[in-house]
Amino acid sequence: MSSHMLPDVTVITIGLSDERNPVLRPVGAGWTVSVASDMKPQDDMLLGQDGNALTFMPPVEEGLPQVVALDDPDSGRRLLLGMTRSGRIQKTMRRLGTGFAVRSSLIGVVIAADADTIELRQTGGKLVLDTTGPDSFPLMASNRLQPYGSSLSGVSLSAGKPEELRESLRRSMISAALASSGDRFDARMRVAQAAARAGNGPLLGEVMQVALQDWPEGIEKPEARRLQQISAVLNARPGSSSLAEDGGNTPEDQLWRGMMRMLLPSASRTGQAVSGSDENDRLHTADLIATGLPVLQAYAAPLRDRLLPPAAQWIARYGGDSATKILDQSPDNPQVALARALLAARRNAQDAEAKLSVLARDPSPLVWPVAREASLRLALEKKILSPQAVADQVDSILPALRVAGREKAGRIFQLEAFMKGGNLGAAASAVQEWSHLYPDDMAEIQPQKTDIIRRMAQSASSGARQNMDEVAFLKDALVHAADDTSRRDIFDGLARRYEALGLPDQERETLRSLLACETGSKAMDVRIRLARLELDMGDLKAARQDLAVFAEGSPDAAMALPGGSSSQTVEVALLKARISLADHRSDEAAGELATIRDPRAWDLRAQMAEKAGEWSRAVEALLPMLDGLPTGADDTRAQLSAEQQALVLRIGGDASRAQDQQTLKNLQTRFAPLMKGTSSEGVFRLLTGGHDEASPPVSAGG
């Protein structure tokens, strides 16, 4: 290692014995040098063109670059050193021009110059290579030196004063109008370039359309592809999905690739969508945009002001740690204020609500609706507002969200609020409205639509009007159902709503369709529902046919526990018993119920005995149902529900008719304390004789 003292700088030379490439990292006021193989090198400088000059911009702004001129100790050639705290010029970025050469450098840029008129200077946080003096010449006039920064070269988007941008656009339009047929395409490209710098999306789109219609072969020119990308982004019209992959791997290429991906739904990105999930895809898009975000600072102000807000907001919403770090390091300006507030809300920062509240009062129609939407999202997450209140407020700002380009996101947010509040009817209406507004974008709400159908299959709504609306929604969904699972849920939901609306014929037809989609145990459940419905409709023959497929004498019929969940066999036995009773076949019904221990079976057996006037058998059938009731002797604070009181009175009435004194005495001992003070107390005392222990109980038979 050796050092060379110069008036303004000290040159340190480090010799390496092998071909390993050193890595320099800024630390404090100096640098560290490492030759470790796993050290990540510095990011590349951004090379661009500004008029006839070359520009070099560091990827991260850490202080102003410094410029030093010195003579090369080996060749004697004049060296211009542009030193930055970040960024490098790698070997693949070397450039050779008239009188100068851009060499590779670990920190900053090194220019070998043959003429004193070539100057490297620092301005606006970037390095500019140009010529000065009376003998100066346009450095980029011949265009033999293609600037690094975009594989779609030839498009200059650099900054300029407003009057300069307007004058450039005016001159280019005049030039295009007067151009010969052979030069017309290039002249129109200059108009498109000037329109892009001015942020004039409609004019840019019109010029590109006319130019490519006049000469379709021009689409192969790199500048035409870049201008197509700019037109698509400024006009929010993605066009061909192949534009999202145009360009190389420079930061500017990745910026435009990410901006194009913002416009495309993931399903439309043929060949370039990131595998895994939509979340990974959005994360990758944010990384692309963040990589080229510093490039925007070199663009003309009108174009930068159009691109920076959506780019920064995408990073804030979906970016990972590396992407959001670049956003944090971006210059603080009004264009990124909203993005930083969104990022604060995403991070659950304490000042997020305050930032969004301030921006929600901003007069700009591109700012306040987005801030208000984000504020409502926070209110829903933190349960400050009810889901229905959030949905209502989102509905009121939908027109403003349309102006801000967030209408789709706002509608999806409103749909999620409806679902979180359990308002399936409103959620279904929101899906139908989406299908009318965005028929080509149904894939964006397919997860929510599937969830709505799944919930509808579990239960029906309470109101008749709401059920009718949901029937219309489910019928429409059935037309577009893509798989058997969706069809099963739709048929199930329709059947439950027809049941709630009292439409048995439609319910039966729907259950038949559902049965055709089901297999195994679920198909048996549908048959049980069908048989129950047909029994209520009085179609006993159809009900018997539906139950005929079930095997008889299955052992689990006798294993159903009192009060427990019954198996399919128990359900079938109960239905067969009810069908036999309806068909006046009491013996068959008794045979079906003989081996079943289930409260519903006991109730049916009691009904049969009561109808036949066999009161002792009725009491015998009902007594097991008392096992789960509380005992007054054990807990005087226990209470009987109205249904439990009715059961006790029913057993007491049957026992009174059967002159079963022992059962009446047991009822008196067990339930007298629990009946005291209830509306059933008088009847209970009358049945059991509790009002006068010396008198025998009165017969319920009169």
Side-chain angles (χ1 to χ4, degrees), residues 684-696:
F684 177 77
R685 293 175 61 189
L686 182 65
L687 289 172
T688 61
H691 61 294
D692 186 0
E693 295 183 1
S695 303

Side-chain angles (χ1 to χ4, degrees), residues 147-403:
Y148 178 85
S150 170
S151 63
L152 298 180
S153 57
V155 179
S156 175
L157 304 173
S158 55
K161 296 180 180 178
E163 56 271 17
E164 294 175 348
L165 298 176
R166 290 193 294 268
E167 180 65 16
S168 174
L169 181 58
R170 187 185 71 84
R171 288 174 180 265
S172 62
M173 293 178 68
I174 295 174
S175 176
L178 301 176
S180 62
S181 58
D183 296 333
R184 191 169 296 147
F185 183 82
D186 291 336
R188 285 169 173 167
M189 290 300 98
R190 288 192 291 271
V191 176
Q193 179 175 277
R197 294 175 64 196
N200 192 334
L203 177 60
L204 171 58
E206 182 179 353
V207 171
M208 291 301 299
Q209 182 179 5
V210 172
L212 293 174
Q213 284 178 347
D214 195 25
W215 190 44
E217 293 82 358
I219 192 63
E220 301 301 327
K221 285 183 169 288
E223 62 268 24
R225 302 290 285 178
R226 174 64 85 222
L227 289 168
Q228 271 194 311
Q229 288 179 331
I230 300 172
S231 173
V233 172
L234 291 181
N235 296 308
R237 295 174 183 169
S240 173
S241 62
S242 63
L243 288 174
E245 279 299 286
D246 268 357
N249 293 319
T250 68
E252 188 175 18
D253 285 329
Q254 296 191 50
L255 168 70
W256 286 106
R257 187 176 297 124
M259 298 295 287
M260 286 297 301
R261 290 173 68 92
M262 283 173 53
L263 302 176
L264 294 169
S266 58
S268 301
R269 302 190 193 108
T270 54
Q272 63 253 21
V274 176
S275 60
S277 65
D278 289 342
E279 182 180 356
N280 290 338
D281 188 75
R282 290 191 292 263
L283 181 66
H284 178 61
T285 301
D287 289 339
L288 290 173
I289 297 172
T291 300
L293 194 65
V295 178
L296 288 177
Q297 302 302 326
Y299 283 0
L303 180 60
R304 183 188 66 236
D305 294 345
R306 289 286 305 277
L307 300 178
L308 189 55
Q313 288 178 34
W314 186 278
I315 296 172
R317 294 181 190 277
Y318 309 116
D321 292 340
S322 58
T324 54
K325 182 178 180 181
I326 294 176
L327 179 61
D328 290 333
Q329 294 173 345
S330 299
D332 194 7
N333 54 56
Q335 283 83 16
V336 300
L338 178 57
R340 289 183 172 172
L342 295 175
L343 183 58
R346 182 182 170 193
R347 291 171 171 171
N348 289 321
Q350 293 183 351
D351 60 345
E353 289 187 64
K355 289 182 177 180
L356 291 172
S357 178
V358 172
L359 291 171
R361 296 190 294 271
D362 192 283
S364 172
L366 302 179
V367 175
W368 76 261
V370 183
R372 182 61 183 154
E373 176 203 350
S375 180
L376 289 173
R377 288 182 185 274
L378 273 182
L380 182 62
E381 291 174 4
K382 296 183 177 181
K383 299 182 179 179
I384 299 174
L385 293 175
S386 68
Q388 186 61 45
V390 170
D392 292 341
Q393 293 195 33
V394 172
D395 188 69
S396 67
I397 64 172
L398 278 178
L401 289 174
R402 184 181 304 119
V403 175

Side-chain angles (χ1 to χ4, degrees), residues 609-679:
E610 290 168 348
K611 187 175 182 181
E614 299 176 355
W615 307 110
S616 297
R617 284 179 53 199
V619 172
E620 180 184 357
L622 291 174
L623 282 177
M625 299 177 68
L626 297 177
D627 291 345
L629 272 61
T631 302
D634 297 336
D635 187 359
T636 56
R637 295 172 299 175
Q639 293 183 344
L640 295 178
S641 65
E643 292 78 8
Q644 292 171 336
Q645 294 176 35
L647 174 62
V648 172
L649 293 180
R650 180 182 178 185
I651 296 174
D654 289 348
S656 178
R657 292 182 178 93
Q659 297 295 317
D660 187 347
Q661 302 299 327
Q662 185 61 43
T663 298
L664 292 172
K665 183 177 180 181
N666 293 340
L667 291 177
Q668 164 66 23
T669 303
R670 180 175 177 182
F671 295 109
L674 298 177
M675 285 291 192
K676 190 174 183 179
T678 67
S679 59

Side-chain angles (χ1 to χ4, degrees), residues 478-495:
L478 184 62
V479 177
H480 303 94
D483 52 61
D484 289 341
T485 302
S486 297
R487 294 175 64 84
R488 285 195 291 267
D489 287 341
I490 292 171
F491 284 134
D492 203 349
L494 280 171

Side-chain angles (χ1 to χ4, degrees), residues 12-13 21 106 131 164 263 274 454 488 506 566 633:
I12 299 176
T13 304
N21 293 323
L106 297 176
T131 57
E164 294 175 348
L263 302 176
V274 176
R454 180 184 57 80
R488 285 195 291 267
Q506 290 86 341
S566 301

